Amino acid sequence: MHTILQPEGWAKPIGYANGMSATGRMVFVGGQIGWNENCEFESDDFVAQVRQTLKNVVAILASGGAEPQHITAMTWYFTDKAEYRDNLKGIGQAYREIIGRHFPAMAAMQVVALVEDRAKIEIQATAVIPE
């Protein structure tokens, strides 16, 4: 579904690609947080916010004609690494219920803060729908 782009004569990068190409229609999901469709937080619980954030990602994918299995990359930003690590079981359960057993390329990182003060997690995703 994708090809790494490496110009001839360039030193091979370590841990990343200089470029990639993919066949299909791409869907880009901007950073989603754990609030509902009315931009209201229903919970301050970390796993509940992850669950809602994943639902938001899937809803946006659907509006673009994509499904969770079309996701090629996700980036997770959270405000507390310890809270993330302490909730891996609940996060995994929520992920499997909403995304399924599809595991795209991912990055996860702790950030100082997110723009919305109550947000504990933000997820950005890219999907490619095969032609």
Side-chain angles (χ1 to χ4, degrees), residues 1-5 20-28 69-72 126-131:
M1 185 150 65
H2 68 276
T3 302
I4 295 172
L5 303 176
M20 300 188 82
S21 67
T23 301
R25 186 169 57 82
M26 298 183 76
V27 177
F28 300 93
Q69 69 267 20
H70 297 134
I71 298 170
T72 55
T126 302
V128 177
I129 303 169
E131 296 178 333

Side-chain angles (χ1 to χ4, degrees), residues 1-71:
M1 185 150 65
H2 68 276
T3 302
I4 295 172
L5 303 176
Q6 180 66 21
E8 188 175 330
W10 283 29
K12 185 176 180 184
I14 298 172
Y16 66 95
N18 284 311
M20 300 188 82
S21 67
T23 301
R25 186 169 57 82
M26 298 183 76
V27 177
F28 300 93
V29 178
Q32 297 300 303
I33 59 175
W35 60 16
N36 64 24
E37 66 277 3
N38 297 312
C39 300
E40 299 169 345
F41 287 95
E42 296 177 3
S43 176
D44 289 318
D45 176 74
F46 190 82
V47 173
Q49 285 200 17
V50 167
R51 181 179 300 281
Q52 183 63 53
T53 301
L54 291 170
K55 286 180 180 180
N56 295 345
V57 167
V58 169
I60 293 168
L61 288 171
S63 70
E67 298 179 13
Q69 69 267 20
H70 297 134
I71 298 170

